Structures are given as C-alpha cells and as structure tokens.
Amino acid sequence: MIFFSDFDGTITQADVTDRILEELADPAWREVEELWVRGLIGSHECLERQMALVNAPRKRLDALIDAIPVDPSFPAFYQFTRQQRIPFYVVSDGFDYVIRRILRRAGVDGELRNGRHLFASAMRVEDGRVRVAFPNSCSEHGCATCKATVLRRVDRDSQPIIFAGDGLSDRFAVEETDIVFAKHQLLDYCRRQGIACHPFETFAEIQARLNNVVDIATMREAHPATTLAK
Ligand SMILES: [Mg+2]
Ligand SMILES: [Zn+2]
C-alpha cells in the first residue's frame, strides 16, 4: 500500500495557515476567504491573495508555527510506516516552510522532511514578507496543491492507495483513493456523497486498523495455502 496524508488538521491539530492569517494578516483576508467558501475562486488564487496580506517578522511567524499542536501519535505512526516499508507522502495546500519546521519539532526525518515525499505550496520569508509559489497547482479545480493530480501521478502498480484527511480540499483526493480515513469536514462530505470511509481522530486509530491488514498480508506470505476467512 501507499499512504498519502493531508497535513493541516490531520497531522496537526489546527490549520496553520488559518492561524497565520488570523494573527498576522490584514483583516481583508476574510473577504478573500469568503470568495473561496462560496466556490468563486480556487485555493490557489485564495492563498496567493491572502498570503500577500501577511506582514510579520520571521520570529513571530516561527513562534506561531512552534505553538501548533501535532497529533501526539503521529511520530510513532510515521515510524510504523518506515518499519513496514509503506511509502508515506504528505499532500498539502499548506506551505513547505511551515510543514518542515513542524515535522522537525515532531522528530520526523528522512524523505518526508527533506522534501522528496512532500507535495505542498512553497514559502520563503524575507524582511517580514512571505513569498509564496505553487509548484503543484492545477487549472482543473484551481487547487493550490492538486491532491488528485499527485495521487494520479504516483507509480502505484497494483498497490492500494490510502488517504487520510479532514478538509474540503481533500475531496478531490478521495476520488483517486482506495481506502479513505476521514474526519471533520471530509467525513461529512464522504457521508453526503456516499463515499466509503473510515472515521478517525488520531493516527493511533489508523495504525491499529493498518496493523490488522499488515498481519493478514504477513500470514498470507508465510502460509500461502491458509485461508483467513475465520
Ligand atoms: Mg486539512
Ligand atoms: Zn486540482
């Protein structure tokens, strides 16, 4: 299997971009947000216009990022994926600078933190302004980071794709996914649309479910003739 995860509200327990805007942006960011909520602009245009309203010294930005809580079971879950050789990717509308800083604090290393398994928007901080870029955007839905495109592009062979997320920007990803773990707005969306999903709150719950799957796969390898029906 291949595991893809959203970042804000899924690995973290709050949306970092929302916090940055609430505390460090000109209040006009809320008018832009309204256009996005009403579906008049995509997340790409939304974030580009909102981040241009942010004005803060790097120290304040970093202090805010450092106060964002992470799901306490995430570091152990990430280790579990490494041990089981399950490729783990983050796909996020959020910003690489923020995500890597939070992952470092959570003790996560390797391909995720060095960026090879991270698909996100890009951010540089210069003289109190943030400069952003969107290397994974799409014109189809106006996504800042097109989760559907990232999932479609992965070399999956016949391996099932698992996705975990919490928000509306994850709705394009679930169409490309075999097993969905959902919470909050994404859970409501899946239920409304009749999309099969596993509700979850923490990565400890996801790990417990995947452990069953891994155990079964290991038993099949060891005893190919065994049926596991009971
Ligand atoms: Mg999210
Ligand atoms: Zn898209």
Side-chain angles (χ1 to χ4, degrees):
M1 59 184 106
I2 304 176
F3 202 108
F4 287 89
S5 177
D6 169 52
F7 188 76
D8 287 85
T10 300
I11 292 175
T12 61
Q13 294 171 321
D15 188 299
V16 194
T17 306
D18 284 353
R19 290 278 178 86
I20 292 173
L21 294 169
E22 280 161 10
E23 296 192 24
L24 307 174
D26 182 290
W29 75 269
R30 292 186 189 279
E31 294 159 28
V32 182
E33 188 78 0
E34 188 58 28
L35 298 177
W36 178 75
V37 169
R38 287 162 59 198
L40 299 174
I41 58 174
S43 59
H44 179 184
E45 182 179 345
C46 178
L47 285 168
E48 192 154 56
R49 289 171 61 178
Q50 288 179 324
M51 296 313 284
L53 299 167
V54 172
N55 195 346
R58 181 193 280 262
K59 264 190 170 171
R60 266 192 82 192
L61 178 66
D62 287 350
L64 185 151
I65 295 168
D66 291 345
I68 299 288
V70 173
D71 174 349
S73 61
F74 176 71
F77 177 80
Y78 182 65
Q79 279 310 315
F80 164 80
T81 63
R82 310 264 289 177
Q83 280 155 12
Q84 300 293 337
R85 300 183 194 286
I86 300 168
F88 184 92
Y89 295 85
V90 166
V91 276
S92 171
D93 267 348
F95 295 94
D96 54 1
Y97 176 85
V98 172
I99 294 170
R100 289 161 87 160
R101 190 173 174 93
I102 290 175
L103 291 176
R104 183 164 64 231
R105 171 162 51 94
V108 164
D109 54 13
E111 288 162 317
L112 186 51
R113 211 180 78 205
N114 74 24
R116 270 184 294 153
H117 279 207
L118 172 61
F119 295 88
S121 309
M123 176 193 282
R124 279 187 303 139
V125 190
E126 290 169 351
D127 311 326
R129 307 300 302 187
V130 292
R131 310 220 176 271
V132 296
F134 299 92
N136 301 296
S137 62
C138 81
S139 49
E140 189 185 348
H141 328 97
C143 302
T145 292
C146 188
K147 300 183 182 189
T149 304
V150 172
L151 266 63
R152 245 181 259 141
R153 270 204 317 237
V154 70
D155 181 14
R156 62 187 293 179
D157 278 326
S158 54
Q159 304 183 84
I161 288 191
I162 305 178
F163 180 84
D166 75 314
L168 281 182
S169 71
D170 299 318
R171 68 190 185 279
F172 304 123
V174 299
E175 290 162 25
E176 308 294 331
T177 303
D178 300 296
I179 302 172
V180 179
F181 289 93
K183 63 178 166 178
H184 305 155
Q185 287 173 306
L186 184 63
L187 181 59
D188 296 342
Y189 174 81
C190 288
R191 286 184 168 153
R192 273 201 311 276
Q193 301 290 318
I195 297 166
C197 68
H198 301 286
F200 82 104
E201 280 299 323
T202 69
F203 275 92
E205 294 165 45
I206 297 180
Q207 189 172 337
R209 281 192 177 265
L210 292 191
N211 250 327
N212 291 337
V213 177
V214 170
D215 283 351
I216 290 170
T218 314
M219 281 169 74
R220 279 209 181 113
E221 268 172 36
H223 310 282
T226 319
T227 59
L228 295 164
K230 32 179 199 187

